[in-house]
Each structure stands twice: as structure tokens, then as C-alpha cells.
């Protein structure tokens, strides 16, 4: 039985939550000295994550392969010292696995629902992830308030809508990385016109984790040009910048989330 009384398949790790198998050997390779932190995060997903409805109980036996490791290999694509926003972070996927695999990357978990941000804050605090910030809000509300090198998302929305949320949060020449699975090529083909209008200059479908994971992760990579998000986003950023300059010292950005240390 799982932690909420729903039957699940799988062999539990010794001393771990029911239904959660032992971590694959490759987990230690991917997370290095942060492997114990990754193991604890996976346990939290299998217990509190299920109890709070952030993870389906049937996913517990495949948390490592299908969720944690599948997300962590996204770290292969990130520049050193990059800033990243995980849009619609939910239970922290892919943001938290990426933050554990790449301590040099500054990660913002952006999530509009209070029950989810509460879970994320508790997890980040317990795991001691000092490179992670939890921020409650919608992506469209953050244009002009948040600018990052990389935007990530997983199972949030169709590509065209996701690009409208994510690209405006990028710095010039930043990139959006969307985990899309088998629908990647089709969604990309259907959204090319919208991507161009949103300031994208290059896009492709790539696989990460090849040679590391049994099944590689399929990612849509969208690279922005000088004006990420297009004309409307540029106008909103300029307006926000003017408002910020007019604000009294210490007022700008108040209430925009806290870094957990």
C-alpha cells in the first residue's frame, strides 16, 4: 500500500516509503555528493507529495526513472552559473532535480497555487537548497519583474501557450527548455509561427540523458533573440522598469518571494 492507503506496485527501498524502489545506480553519478539530498526529495514526493495530491500514487514505483532522473539530466544543457525559472513547478519538477544536480545554477520555482508553494517551501527548507527560491505567481504577472537565462517547464501547457508564458521571462538570447515527450515534434511544428512572433530565432527537439538513462528525455529547446516574448513583452518590461525607477528605495519587488536558506 502507498502512504495514503492506495495500492501501488514495486519493491520498497529498505526503510523507505512503501512502493518506492531503490535508486538506480546512475542516480549517484548524476547527483554526486548531493545524492542523499536527491534520495530524500524522492522520499518526500512518495509520501507528502502523494498525500497532498501533487503526485499520483501510481507514480511512486517510477519516481526515480520517470520523474527525478528524467528531469535531472536537463542540467546537461545549462550554462555555468545560469539563472533558471521553472514555470508551473508543481511538485518541483524539473526545477528541484536540476538544482540538486547543478548547485551553480540559481533556480526559481514559479507556481501559482498556494498548497503547492507551501509544499515547495517546506521541501526546499528541509533539503537545504540554498540555490532555490520559491515564488508564488503566474508567469504573465512576472514580466518585467523576473528575467532569467533559462526557462523550464514540464507538462504545463501546449507549446504555443507555454511559449507565451515562458519566453517573456527570458533575458536576451536566453533559452526555454520544455520537456515534452512523444508530442515534442508535433507541438513544435504547430507553434512555429507563434514562436517567431514571440521573438524566438531558433528551435529544435533534442534528447538528453542518452547513454546515461535507459530512456532519454526529449526536450523542445527554443532560443530567443534580442527581444524575448516579442513586442508586447518588451513594452511591459520597459513599463515595469520605469515603475521600478520611480518606486522608493526598498519598495520594488517587495513580496516577490524569498530565498530559502
Amino acid at each position: 500500500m502507498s502512504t495514503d492507503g492506495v495500492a501501488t506496485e514495486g519493491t520498497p527501498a529498505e526503510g523507505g516509503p512503501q512502493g518506492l524502489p531503490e535508486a538506480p545506480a546512475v542516480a549517484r553519478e548524476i547527483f554526486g555528493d548531493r545524492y542523499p539530498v536527491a534520495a530524500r526529495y524522492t522520499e518526500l514526493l512518495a509520501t507528502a507529495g502523494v498525500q497532498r495530491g501533487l503526485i499520483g500514487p501510481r507514480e511512486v514505483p517510477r519516481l526515480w526513472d520517470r520523474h527525478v532522473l528524467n528531469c535531472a539530466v536537463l542540467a546537461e544543457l545549462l550554462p555555468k552559473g545560469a539563472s533558471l525559472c521553472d514555470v508551473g513547478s508543481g511538485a518541483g519538477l524539473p526545477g528541484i532535480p536540476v538544482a540538486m544536480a547543478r548547485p551553480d545554477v540559481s533556480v526559481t520555482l514559479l507556481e501559482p497555487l498556494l498548497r503547492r508553494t507551501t509544499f515547495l517551501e517546506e521541501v526546499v527548507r528541509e533539503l537545504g537548497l540554498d540555490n532555490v527560491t520559491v515564488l508564488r505567481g503566474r508567469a504573465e504577472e512576472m514580466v518585467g519583474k523576473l528575467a532569467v537565462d533559462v526557462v523550464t517547464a514540464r507538462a504545463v501547457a501546449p507549446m504555443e501557450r507555454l511559449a507565451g508564458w515562458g519566453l517573456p521571462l527570458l533575458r536576451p538570447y536566453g533559452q526555454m527548455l520544455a520537456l515534452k515527450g512523444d508530442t515534442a515534434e508535433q507541438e513544435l511544428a504547430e507553434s512555429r509561427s507563434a514562436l517567431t512572433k514571440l521573438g524566438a530565432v531558433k528551435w529544435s527537439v533534442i534528447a538528453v540523458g542518452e547513454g546515461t538513462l535507459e530512456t532519454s528525455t526529449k526536450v523542445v529547446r527554443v532560443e530567443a533573440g534580442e527581444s524575448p516574448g516579442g513586442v508586447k513583452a518588451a513594452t511591459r518590461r520597459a513599463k515595469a522598469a520605469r515603475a521600478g525607477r520611480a518606486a522608493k528605495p526598498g519598495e520594488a519587488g517587495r513580496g516577490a518571494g524569498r530565498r530559502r536558506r
Side-chain angles (χ1 to χ4, degrees):
M1 300 292 287
S2 74
T3 54
D4 63 352
V6 180
T8 58
E9 299 176 355
T11 303
E14 184 177 351
Q18 185 71 24
L20 180 64
E22 293 185 15
V26 72
R28 297 179 183 273
E29 176 184 336
I30 290 174
F31 291 110
D33 61 4
R34 280 198 163 185
Y35 165 75
V37 180
R40 179 56 183 151
Y41 173 59
T42 309
E43 291 176 354
L44 290 170
L45 291 178
T47 51
V50 171
Q51 293 162 358
R52 300 189 191 186
L54 278 72
I55 295 290
R58 293 181 182 273
E59 295 302 309
V60 172
R62 47 192 181 185
L63 275 175
W64 276 110
D65 292 329
R66 186 172 178 176
H67 298 281
V68 177
L69 296 178
N70 177 268
C71 291
V73 292
L74 205 60
E76 298 175 12
L77 304 177
L78 304 180
K80 184 175 177 59
S83 58
L84 180 151
C85 179
D86 186 26
V87 172
S89 192
L93 299 165
I96 289 179
V98 168
M100 293 186 297
R102 288 287 301 274
D104 63 299
V105 172
S106 176
V107 174
T108 297
L109 307 177
L110 181 61
E111 169 57 48
L113 297 183
L114 177 59
R115 67 181 179 88
R116 293 177 179 172
T117 55
T118 299
F119 172 80
L120 293 173
E121 288 173 343
E122 292 172 0
V123 168
V124 168
R125 182 168 56 248
E126 176 168 340
L127 300 182
L129 297 177
D130 59 5
N131 61 326
V132 178
T133 297
V134 177
L135 183 61
R136 185 183 175 198
R138 300 183 182 277
E140 55 267 39
E141 300 168 346
M142 297 297 143
V143 180
K145 302 176 184 177
L146 181 67
V148 294
D149 302 311
V150 181
V151 165
T152 58
R154 180 177 188 254
V156 172
M159 192 66 209
E160 184 171 331
R161 196 187 317 162
L162 178 60
W165 295 338
L167 289 178
L169 300 180
L170 290 174
R171 294 187 175 120
Y173 310 106
Q175 61 178 331
M176 184 174 73
L177 303 172
L179 283 71
K180 281 293 180 182
D182 294 336
T183 66
E185 288 85 357
Q186 180 181 346
E187 287 196 42
L188 187 55
E190 293 172 349
S191 61
R192 291 177 185 237
S193 176
L195 291 176
T196 299
K197 292 177 181 178
L198 287 166
V201 296
K202 187 177 179 181
W203 45 80
S204 59
V205 177
I206 56 179
V208 292
E210 291 185 307
T212 302
L213 302 181
E214 185 174 335
T215 302
S216 61
T217 299
K218 191 172 288 188
V219 178
V220 175
R221 176 191 239 166
V222 179
E223 299 176 51
E226 188 174 353
S227 298
V231 175
K232 289 184 179 180
T235 301
R236 290 179 65 184
R237 283 193 292 266
K239 183 178 179 180
R242 289 195 297 271
R245 287 194 295 269
K248 295 179 180 179
E251 287 187 353
R254 183 173 294 171
R258 293 180 294 166
R259 182 169 298 277
R260 298 287 168 176
R261 295 188 182 275

